[in-house]
Amino acid sequence: MKSATTVIPGLYEMALQHLLDHGCSAHPYQEYEKLIEAVNFYAPRKVLEIGAGIGFTAAAMLLSNRDIYVDTFEKDSVHAKLARKLLNELGFWQRSAVINDSAEIALPLLQTKYDFIFFDGFQIHYEFLPQYKRLLNREGILFLANNHLKSKTSDRFFAELADATTWKIIDQFADTTVAQRL
Ligand SMILES: C[S@@+](CC[C@H](N)C(=O)[O-])C[C@H]1O[C@@H](n2cnc3c(N)ncnc32)[C@H](O)[C@@H]1O
């Protein structure tokens, strides 16, 4: 069986190729090595991903850490179908679920808790922050990509994330912020 470090770069290339073929804006997350590092360091059991794309980052996390379970939300039905196919082909049907829904609708309905949330949708919206707080276990990790994609409420989002009573910002790099739920 091939090792995760051999397989993951090939999956990244496949996700890039999809972007070109489909003409969509599902850029695979470039800092995926940092994401994998975080998933191994914080050792979450349950991971929530927003923005599956064709399943690259969910696959990368699952390949790198055998102890995690990933729920991944994807609003585009073509992407959701491809993500489900990829995760099934990699043998992760029992350790993952691809949900074809937008996070705006799905997050408020979720009743389960997570140890790690990876946001890789498009713009950052304030309305997600109370949901992250509700859904993350104490000391859980919020790993937010695409910080450069501003919305009308993204400044409010980051101002509240800087609130030291609920969140501790742990790291910031390459349009990514990593925070811990206190
Ligand atoms: C930048 S791509 C991320 C792909 C994937 N994480 C990767 O690295 O390959 C963003 C994906 O998030 C999806 N998306 C954007 N906003 C979303 C939302 N609010 N809810 C669910 N999916 C969303 C898009 O359809 C797109 O497939």
Side-chain angles (χ1 to χ4, degrees):
M1 192 176 159
K2 288 183 181 171
S3 73
T5 44
T6 319
V7 177
I8 292 169
L11 294 177
Y12 180 78
E13 292 303 320
M14 193 177 95
L16 269 183
Q17 189 59 48
H18 166 83
L19 176 76
L20 298 175
D21 296 345
H22 190 201
C24 63
S25 47
H27 293 270
Y29 182 56
Q30 248 180 315
E31 299 295 323
Y32 64 85
E33 286 177 350
K34 292 273 225 178
L35 175 66
I36 291 169
E37 215 177 272
V39 161
N40 285 323
F41 183 77
Y42 293 104
R45 300 305 290 234
K46 282 204 79 180
V47 175
L48 167 66
E49 177 181 66
I50 297 162
I54 67 155
F56 163 64
T57 36
M61 290 188 277
L62 287 157
L63 281 162
S64 308
N65 187 321
R66 288 173 183 274
D67 297 323
I68 62 168
Y69 176 93
V70 178
D71 279 333
T72 181
F73 285 82
E74 174 52 60
K75 66 180 179 182
D76 178 307
S77 60
V78 173
H79 291 171
K81 204 171 167 185
L82 289 170
R84 209 170 282 133
K85 182 169 175 280
L86 177 67
L87 298 180
N88 283 346
E89 280 171 4
L90 290 168
F92 294 137
W93 56 88
Q94 287 179 320
R95 291 176 51 208
S96 64
V98 178
I99 302 113
N100 182 201
D101 208 345
S102 74
E104 286 82 346
I105 294 170
L107 295 194
L109 302 176
L110 282 177
Q111 292 302 332
T112 181
K113 292 267 189 187
Y114 294 89
D115 307 304
F116 191 102
I117 297 179
F118 173 48
F119 171 83
D120 195 22
F122 297 137
Q123 290 91 354
I124 305 264
H125 293 289
Y126 173 75
E127 65 187 286
F128 287 7
L129 193 57
Q131 298 303 328
Y132 295 153
K133 181 179 170 189
R134 183 178 73 82
L135 293 169
L136 265 180
N137 282 318
R138 288 279 162 101
E139 301 194 358
I141 298 295
L142 179 59
F143 196 108
L144 291 162
N146 296 335
N147 294 186
H148 60 300
L149 299 179
K150 301 285 179 201
S151 72
K152 283 184 187 160
T153 58
S154 49
D155 286 348
R156 185 177 173 206
F157 181 104
F158 284 108
E160 209 158 297
L161 194 68
D163 165 17
T165 58
T166 307
W167 299 100
K168 178 182 172 193
I169 294 181
I170 292 174
D171 203 359
Q172 289 187 299
F173 55 89
D175 295 322
T176 299
T177 297
V178 184
Q180 186 165 41
R181 163 89 163 87
L182 300 177

